[in-house]
Amino acid sequence: MSENLIKKIKVKKVKICVIGLGYVGFPLLKLCQDKGFSAIGLDVDQKAVDNAVKEGVSATLDAEYALTDSDCIFICVPTPIEKNNRPNLQYVEDAAKTIAKFLKKDSLIVLESTVAPGTTEEILVPFLKGSGLKDEEFYVAHCPERIDPGNKKWTVKNLPRVVGGINKKSTKIAVELYKKIIDAEIQELSSVKAAESVKIVENTFRDVNIAFFNEIAKSFDKFGIDISEVIKGAMTKPFGFLAHYPGCGVGGHCIAVDPYYLINKAEESGFNHQFLKLAREINNSMPEYTVGKVKKAMDKANKTINGSNIAILGLAYKPDVSDMRESPAFPIIEELEKWGAKLTIYDPYILEKSSVDSLEKALENKDCIVIVTAHKEFLKITPEKLRKHKIKVVVDGRNILDRTEIQKSGIIYEGIGR
Ligand code: SAJ
């Protein structure tokens, strides 16, 4: 029967349903529709459905309407972590239970959400079996999402993907489907666990590399070495080096989250990822380290944080996006308020959470400015602009300003590792 499904995929006669219309599901749904498939989105949030419909894509809150007769179902729901850093799979389980109610023979379910190795087979498939279908009557695969919010160059349309199914037929069908949707390499893996592991490894790799540079930054601060210069120097080596950058913290719902999936899963099997845990500890220590740099800089200016006017520049977790999830801005704000600072918040992408609506206003009458997010607007903070606003203390949490020029102007500058 899988041959029928493959034949229907090849002529784009399958009905596709995408569950979860966030930053992963919505672009995928739109792409399926643009590629000529009959595709519908399903979400539990009216706003998400309305946004999709506004963009000319069909979407609904009605699971029966969306899933009845669906041949291929993508699950693109959040997989956050709890306060104790344990994975929360509630959204995946809810999606699976909903699918099971309407699952028909010979359909394919693909989980795109980031999960620990083993999750598809141990959690998703048992719920799908609630449909009453036999194992061989439906197909399941994992194809980890690789959306990089804000990235205009690499999008769902042209990003290479990896696919692994719970069995050979599932893999084959899923690969055929992705080849019809995505204009990039679709790599077939030998198992669904391998596919789950690829994404976790990609993002954990990034987390440990960032932690490496964060730790180096802390030690270079002791030696008075400028880490930005050292990274630039190391990058002249054309092989065997991959730059990452120290900063005031690691935010977002990928890099700051995904390593915990592997850490927790390994713990269940009796393995302790001490290196990954240490990297998480180092990255999680950076907001506090940054506040320590504020204290150090204010001491140099013979000022106290208590009662001082400090501008927090940036709330978003990374440059030129409006996403604040896991942003280091929040622990930095909390800590500085504890020290008695009077804070002015400015993020050009999140004005609704800012206390002023322009950089100029954010710089007015400040004892100190702290750069938390490397938004391109903040690259315009020149020594002239700082002098104009009589700013005496700069803490550059993303090492984006010209330290030498700022210091030449007699302004106190503290970066992260410089
Ligand atoms: N960060 C550093 N130093 C670095 C790089 C990042 O401190 O050298 C910080 C950022 O400021 C941010 C956090 O880490 O707070 C995460 O930054 P990110 O650039 O990794 O952005 P994300 O979380 O959106 O990561 C996504 C991921 N994509 C997917 O999971 C599909 C990740 O795999 C990509 O590598 C990353 O985008 C990317 O390349 O931009």
Side-chain angles (χ1 to χ4, degrees), residues 65-106:
Y65 177 69
L67 287 163
T68 303
D69 290 336
S70 274
D71 302 293
C72 301
I73 301 159
F74 291 106
I75 303 175
C76 304
V77 296
T79 49
I81 48 170
E82 305 286 1
K83 283 262 170 288
N84 61 3
N85 294 325
R86 295 222 169 268
N88 171 352
L89 294 170
Q90 196 53 54
Y91 298 102
V92 173
E93 292 172 13
D94 291 348
K97 286 179 207 158
T98 303
I99 293 167
K101 287 186 208 143
F102 309 102
L103 193 59
K104 69 174 189 179
K105 268 172 74 173
D106 258 358

Side-chain angles (χ1 to χ4, degrees), residues 11-45:
V11 293
K12 298 187 182 180
K13 284 281 171 260
V14 290
K15 184 187 166 205
I16 292 175
C17 176
V18 177
I19 302 179
L21 300 180
Y23 75 94
V24 174
F26 173 70
L28 176 62
L29 173 63
K30 181 134 187 14
L31 182 59
C32 289
Q33 195 168 283
D34 292 349
K35 288 283 181 175
F37 285 96
S38 155
I40 185 164
L42 173 63
D43 204 296
V44 292
D45 175 10

Side-chain angles (χ1 to χ4, degrees), residues 11 21 64 79 170 176 239 256 299 320 397 413:
V11 293
L21 300 180
E64 184 168 7
T79 49
S170 297
E176 278 311 316
F239 49 81
D299 287 350
D320 307 321
Y413 175 100

Side-chain angles (χ1 to χ4, degrees), residues 211-258:
F212 168 74
F213 283 97
N214 280 334
E215 180 167 280
I216 295 280
K218 288 182 175 180
S219 92
F220 279 17
D221 270 338
K222 298 284 181 206
F223 305 149
I225 295 172
D226 185 329
I227 193 166
S228 302
E229 183 187 13
V230 171
I231 291 171
K232 258 200 213 102
M235 286 168 80
T236 57
K237 183 181 169 191
F239 49 81
F241 177 76
L242 179 64
H244 285 69
Y245 301 91
C248 57
V250 174
H253 39 285
C254 302
I255 309 307
V257 169
D258 296 353

Side-chain angles (χ1 to χ4, degrees), residues 23 114 145-149 151 159 199 202-203 206 209-210 213-214 243-256 258 283 316-319 326-328 372 398:
Y23 75 94
T114 305
E145 60 90 4
R146 278 182 169 162
I147 299 288
D148 173 20
N151 193 322
L159 267 164
K199 174 64 181 288
E202 281 167 9
N203 284 0
R206 193 162 170 82
N209 276 280
I210 295 167
F213 283 97
N214 280 334
H244 285 69
Y245 301 91
C248 57
V250 174
H253 39 285
C254 302
I255 309 307
D258 296 353
N283 289 338
Y317 80 87
K318 76 174 189 180
E326 310 287 328
S327 172
V372 174
R398 295 295 176 192

Side-chain angles (χ1 to χ4, degrees), residues 23-24 112-114 143-149 151 154-156 158-163 182 184-187 189 195 197-200 202-203 254:
Y23 75 94
V24 174
E112 287 213 349
S113 309
T114 305
C143 176
E145 60 90 4
R146 278 182 169 162
I147 299 288
D148 173 20
N151 193 322
W154 293 107
T155 68
V156 63
N158 66 353
L159 267 164
R161 307 290 291 271
V162 296
V163 181
I182 291 169
E185 185 204 352
I186 306 296
Q187 192 177 94
L189 297 180
S197 304
V198 163
K199 174 64 181 288
I200 296 288
E202 281 167 9
N203 284 0
C254 302

